């Protein structure tokens, strides 16, 4: 299927019509909150799984909101006369938002998905027909230039991003414009690139329909459209990271071998970041026989950058191939074609000695430190989104620990972070626990094992006493040499600060 099979797009040069359409959508409560109230939680959640039957059942009435849900989210033709009571229908037909369907009905030419911004903004994500609900199973999904809507990856990246005010932001591979939309809320100037001109057109529609400032939209792959001397305070990218044989689908296949696209993207970012600037990426990476995945990822980090790399999931090569074959709908195709594609995927992995594929996120921060910090870890456990403030705090702690040696830590004052609880694990009835665990209920929701000294130390930290004085008091209580305790405890304090259990007072 070629791009010719995709619907013509609405005009991006009719701000008057787009503004009138936005007003009409808001007037009918066609918003994230309005959808939840209309559909109810089960039907609303089903949409994210690409299941539309519950929503269809919930919109069999004749209210303006039900009409708009059927028209823009569920792609159902609706009566022209009824739409004329809700939307500027003639202007929408003339500018391409709607098309005639038979003698007395109209149909949407694009998906429009209500999307709630982080501060309660009413935004709208435009995408190709069938691709907004769950971002999967769209009717044009096999078209090379298809542009998807909101999916789990895009919301994950949006939640990870540090949201401090900045002058310049860059969205690489903008797609339907979700990351650019978020960036426009706290960046003075937003640049967005995409190799797919259709994506740039749709991103412009997303920004305009959301009432957001326009972005500087540039066609080209990754950094190609960016001048050598252009640098940014924030860079975000949800790139086509799927490790696949070939480049069938623009939205997911980068066209480079293995994980080379993600590697080159990360490696080229250092020179594009301003001092103190952040870059956030979602990525896949290969687990190669005889190689530690953390070593592979550490080699990607550009010079002059701190990095925090988190592996969220690992799939063996068969699981990975099946996931993305289903994503493209190949499991519903001819069985012989499915088997041939599956074989090609496994051939590719075998040739590269890949045994599994990791998925996660990579955050870079430009630093002038002589020894940048690179943390690579596996954390498959539940987290609390949005995580942007947690990400920013991680790098603040990196700066703090880099500036404080063990002697300075003992002179410092700390407080226990909010919503940290202590768990004691041991046999029922035992006098002493086998071990003590500190657990966070916010952010990364980490858990770390500590000894009784570490637990006692953390529990006393309220900012009033220095770490050294607390240890001296603990030494007296447990009958331990205070000098020895001061010598061995800073490593544990450093770990508790690094992981966010303790905060400098």
């Amino acid at each position: 299927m070629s791009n010719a099979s995709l619907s013509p797009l609405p005009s991006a040069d009719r701000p008057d019509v787009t503004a009138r359409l936005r007003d009409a959508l808001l007037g009918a409560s066609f918003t994230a909150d309005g959808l939840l109230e209309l559909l109810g939680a089960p039907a609303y959640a089903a949409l994210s799984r690409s299941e539309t039957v519950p929503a269809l059942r919930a919109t069999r009435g004749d209210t303006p909101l039900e009409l708009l849900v059927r028209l823009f989210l569920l792609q159902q033709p609706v009566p022209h006369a009824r739409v004329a009571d809700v939307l500027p229908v003639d202007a929408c037909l003339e500018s391409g938002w709607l098309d005639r369907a038979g003698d007395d009905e109209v149909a949407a030419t694009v998906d429009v998905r209500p999307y709630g911004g982080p501060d309660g903004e009413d935004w709208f994500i435009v995408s190709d027909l069938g691709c907004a609900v769950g971002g999967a199973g769209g009717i044009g999904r096999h078209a090379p230039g298809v542009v998807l809507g909101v999916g789990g990856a895009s919301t994950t990246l949006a939640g990870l991003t540090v949201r401090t005010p900045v002058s310049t932001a860059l969205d690489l591979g903008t797609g339907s414009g979700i990351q650019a939309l978020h960036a426009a809320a706290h960046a003075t100037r937003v640049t967005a690139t995409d190799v797919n001109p259709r994506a740039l057109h749709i991103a412009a529609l997303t920004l305009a329909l959301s009432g957001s400032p326009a972005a500087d939209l540039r066609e080209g792959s990754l950094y190609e459209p960016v001048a050598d001397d252009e640098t940014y305070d924030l860079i975000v990218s949800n790139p086509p990271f799927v490790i696949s044989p070939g480049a069938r689908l623009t939205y997911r296949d980068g066209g480079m071998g293995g994980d080379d696209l993600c590697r080159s993207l990360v490696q080229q970012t250092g020179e594009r970041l301003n001092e103190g600037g952040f870059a956030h990426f979602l990525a896949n990476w290969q687990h190669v026989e005889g190689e530690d995945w953390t070593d592979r990822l550490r080699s990607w980090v550009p010079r002059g950058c701190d990095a925090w790399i988190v592996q969220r999931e690992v799939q063996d090569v068969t699981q990975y191939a099946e996931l993305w074959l289903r994503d493209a709908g190949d499991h519903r195709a001819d069985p012989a074609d499915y088997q041939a594609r599956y074989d090609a995927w496994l051939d590719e992995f075998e040739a590269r000695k890949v045994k599994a594929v990791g998925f996660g996120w990579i955050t870079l921060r430009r630093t002038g430190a002589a020894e940048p910090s690179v943390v690579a870890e596996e954390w498959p456990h539940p987290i609390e989104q949005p995580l942007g403030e947690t990400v920013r705090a991680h790098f603040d702690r990196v700066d703090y620990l880099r500036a404080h040696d063990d002697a300075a830590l003992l002179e410092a004052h700390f407080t226990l972070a909010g919503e940290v609880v202590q768990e004691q694990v041991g046999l029922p009835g035992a006098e002493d626990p086998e071990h003590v665990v500190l657990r966070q209920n916010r952010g990364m929701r980490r858990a770390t094992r500590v000894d009784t000294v570490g637990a006692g130390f953390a529990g006393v930290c309220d900012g009033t006493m220095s770490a050294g004085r607390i240890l001296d008091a603990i030494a007296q209580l447990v009958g331990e040499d205070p000098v020895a305790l001061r010598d061995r405890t800073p490593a544990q304090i450093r770990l508790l600060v690094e992981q966010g259990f303790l905060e400098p007072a």
Side-chain angles (χ1 to χ4, degrees):
M1 188 179 293
S2 68
N3 278 7
S5 65
L6 297 171
S7 299
L9 295 174
S11 171
D13 300 320
R14 293 294 306 274
D16 56 328
V17 177
T18 306
R20 291 172 63 194
L21 175 58
R22 172 176 170 78
D23 289 344
L25 297 178
L26 294 175
S29 297
F30 186 64
T31 63
D33 289 342
L35 280 185
L36 181 59
E37 184 176 349
L38 170 68
L39 302 179
Y44 188 77
L47 287 177
S48 67
R49 303 190 300 270
S50 306
E51 297 292 348
T52 59
V53 171
L56 286 167
R57 291 173 60 86
T59 56
R60 290 182 289 197
D62 198 38
T63 66
L65 180 55
E66 289 170 300
L67 189 84
L68 293 177
V69 172
R70 290 200 301 273
L71 179 65
F72 284 117
L73 259 188
L74 304 177
Q75 277 82 63
Q76 302 295 306
V78 296
H80 179 285
R82 186 69 188 92
V83 176
D85 294 334
V86 182
L87 300 177
V89 65
D90 291 335
C92 288
L93 284 165
E94 186 268 332
S95 61
W97 287 96
L98 301 177
D99 199 3
R100 295 192 180 276
D103 294 334
D104 58 357
E105 291 186 316
V106 296
T109 58
V110 287
D111 270 340
V112 176
R113 171 86 182 250
Y115 181 75
D119 295 316
E121 301 95 339
D122 288 316
W123 290 340
F124 300 97
I125 308 300
V126 180
S127 63
D128 272 314
L129 287 173
C131 295
V133 175
I139 57 176
R141 194 164 181 80
H142 289 284
V146 68
V147 180
L148 302 190
V150 181
S154 53
T155 55
T156 294
L157 179 59
L160 290 172
T161 302
V162 174
R163 298 295 175 193
T164 53
V166 295
S167 295
T168 55
L170 174 64
D171 176 16
L172 294 170
T174 189
S176 57
I178 301 168
Q179 308 306 325
L181 181 60
H182 276 277
H186 63 103
T188 304
R189 180 168 58 85
V190 176
T191 302
T193 72
D194 205 290
V195 71
N196 182 5
R198 187 176 182 87
L200 296 175
H201 189 131
I202 284 180
L205 296 174
T206 290
L207 291 166
L209 193 59
S210 298
S212 178
D216 179 3
L217 302 172
R218 305 182 189 180
E219 183 179 346
S221 178
L222 304 178
Y223 286 112
E224 286 177 3
V226 180
D228 292 341
D229 60 349
E230 289 184 89
T231 57
Y232 298 87
D233 302 313
L234 173 68
I235 298 174
V236 293
S237 184
N238 177 17
F241 53 66
V242 176
I243 300 171
S244 60
R248 292 171 58 206
L249 302 174
T250 306
Y251 70 87
R252 72 170 204 193
D253 301 323
M256 296 185 187
D259 52 17
D260 283 354
L261 183 137
C262 291
R263 175 187 55 79
S264 61
L265 173 60
V266 173
Q267 288 179 338
Q268 293 172 26
T269 295
E271 60 193 24
R272 305 291 188 177
L273 272 179
N274 292 327
E275 184 74 20
F278 284 95
H280 303 273
F281 310 104
L282 298 186
N284 279 184
W285 44 79
Q286 298 172 150
H287 284 230
V288 179
E289 292 179 16
E291 177 185 76
D292 190 310
W293 74 268
T294 62
D295 291 339
R296 183 180 192 85
L297 272 292
R298 287 174 185 275
S299 73
W300 292 7
V301 178
R303 295 175 61 184
C305 287
D306 293 323
W308 185 19
I309 302 161
V310 180
Q311 180 168 269
R312 296 287 291 152
E313 183 179 1
V314 180
Q315 292 186 322
D316 68 47
V317 292
T318 59
Q319 291 174 308
Y320 189 80
E322 290 162 13
L323 169 67
W324 293 108
L325 286 166
R326 287 195 302 272
D327 171 83
D330 291 322
H331 62 301
R332 295 190 294 268
D334 179 81
D337 289 342
Y338 175 80
Q339 182 173 342
R341 293 191 189 281
Y342 201 150
D343 269 334
W345 225 303
L346 296 185
D347 285 344
E348 177 84 2
F349 286 134
E350 185 176 344
R352 295 178 177 274
K353 298 184 178 180
V354 176
K355 58 183 180 179
V357 177
F359 170 81
W361 68 72
I362 300 171
T363 299
L364 305 178
R365 184 189 60 168
R366 187 75 183 179
T367 179
E371 295 186 17
S373 164
V374 178
V375 176
E377 61 175 321
E378 185 164 16
W379 190 253
H381 310 293
I383 60 172
E384 180 192 43
Q385 283 276 36
L387 207 64
E389 182 58 26
T390 299
V391 173
R392 186 199 59 75
H394 166 88
F395 288 94
D396 285 348
R397 294 193 298 270
V398 165
D399 286 341
Y400 179 86
L401 291 172
R402 195 155 42 201
H404 289 72
D405 60 15
D406 288 354
L409 283 182
L410 292 175
E411 293 298 321
H413 295 236
F414 299 97
T415 59
L416 186 66
E419 298 197 38
V420 172
V421 297
Q422 176 179 304
E423 299 174 357
Q424 297 186 169
V425 181
L427 293 173
E431 184 175 342
D432 296 312
E434 293 178 15
H435 60 266
V436 179
V437 174
L438 299 182
R439 187 178 302 278
Q440 301 167 347
N441 287 318
R442 303 297 303 272
M444 291 291 286
R445 293 178 171 163
R446 294 188 185 279
T448 190
R449 184 172 173 174
V450 294
D451 60 20
T452 53
V453 170
F457 179 88
V460 174
C461 283
D462 61 3
T464 60
M465 296 173 60
S466 70
R469 287 188 60 197
I470 293 174
L471 291 178
D472 291 343
I474 291 175
Q476 187 173 4
L477 282 173
V478 300
E480 187 170 339
D481 179 5
V483 175
L485 194 60
R486 278 174 172 258
D487 284 345
R488 71 177 175 85
T489 307
Q492 191 167 191
I493 297 174
R494 192 171 292 274
L495 178 65
L496 291 175
V497 173
E498 179 183 313
Q499 296 191 344
F501 290 93
L502 295 178
E503 298 173 348

